[in-house]
Amino acid sequence: MPEECLFCKILAGEIQSNIIYRDDLVVAFEDVNPQAPHHYLIVPRKHIRTTLDLSTADNELIGHIYQVAGKIAHDMEFAEEGFRVVNNCNEGAGQSVWHIHFHLLGGRDLTWPPG
Ligand code: 5GP
Ligand code: ZN
């Protein structure tokens, strides 16, 4: 675990977060600066820096993340109205934490294109 990784620290319980889901592969918690009524971060337990660092060994993990996103949206009852899963890769796309994560956004109308 990289010592300075914020999300590794959250996953290890060293930094407080409001965890809403956890399993063997991922943890999901509330974003500290929510952009929608529902805004969660789905984070693999495995430290992967960016989308560009994924390998074929991670294919199952990424599929699992989308399964989890749908399950959370369903269980929290915002699936039917619509939700969005977003992964920002590199600074130009807005990535600010260097441990791969997937934003799950819902609970309001989501405009397109995103900013
Ligand atoms: P990115 O900009 O890398 O796509 O997303 C990082 C997200 O992490 C941002 O939406 C930001 O609000 C969130 N974030 C940053 N620091 C913390 C923190 O300490 N706790 C939680 N729960 N979220 C954080
Ligand atoms: Zn990490």
Side-chain angles (χ1 to χ4, degrees), residues 6-7 29-33 41 88 94-97 101 103:
L6 173 64
F7 286 173
F29 51 87
E30 293 175 358
D31 195 297
V32 76
N33 182 23
L41 301 172
N88 297 322
Q95 185 172 2
S96 60
V97 178
H101 50 281
H103 298 256

Side-chain angles (χ1 to χ4, degrees), residues 4 10-11 25 28 38 42 45 52 54 56 70-71 82 90 94 96 100 105 111-112 115:
E4 295 312 314
I10 286 179
L11 268 49
L25 293 176
H38 293 281
I42 304 173
R45 291 185 184 274
L52 295 170
L54 289 166
T56 53
K71 178 177 166 43
N90 280 343
S96 60
I100 196 171
L105 297 145
T111 58
W112 191 263

Side-chain angles (χ1 to χ4, degrees), residues 11 19-29 41-46 60-69 72 99-100 102:
L11 268 49
I19 292 173
I20 58 145
Y21 176 89
R22 71 179 96 213
D23 65 27
D24 288 349
L25 293 176
V26 302
V27 175
F29 51 87
L41 301 172
I42 304 173
V43 182
R45 291 185 184 274
K46 177 182 177 184
E60 197 172 323
L61 170 64
I62 300 305
H64 180 70
I65 285 168
Y66 277 83
Q67 296 286 332
V68 168
I72 293 169
H99 179 139
I100 196 171
F102 292 73

Side-chain angles (χ1 to χ4, degrees), residues 2 5 8 47 99:
C5 177
C8 280
H47 180 90
H99 179 139

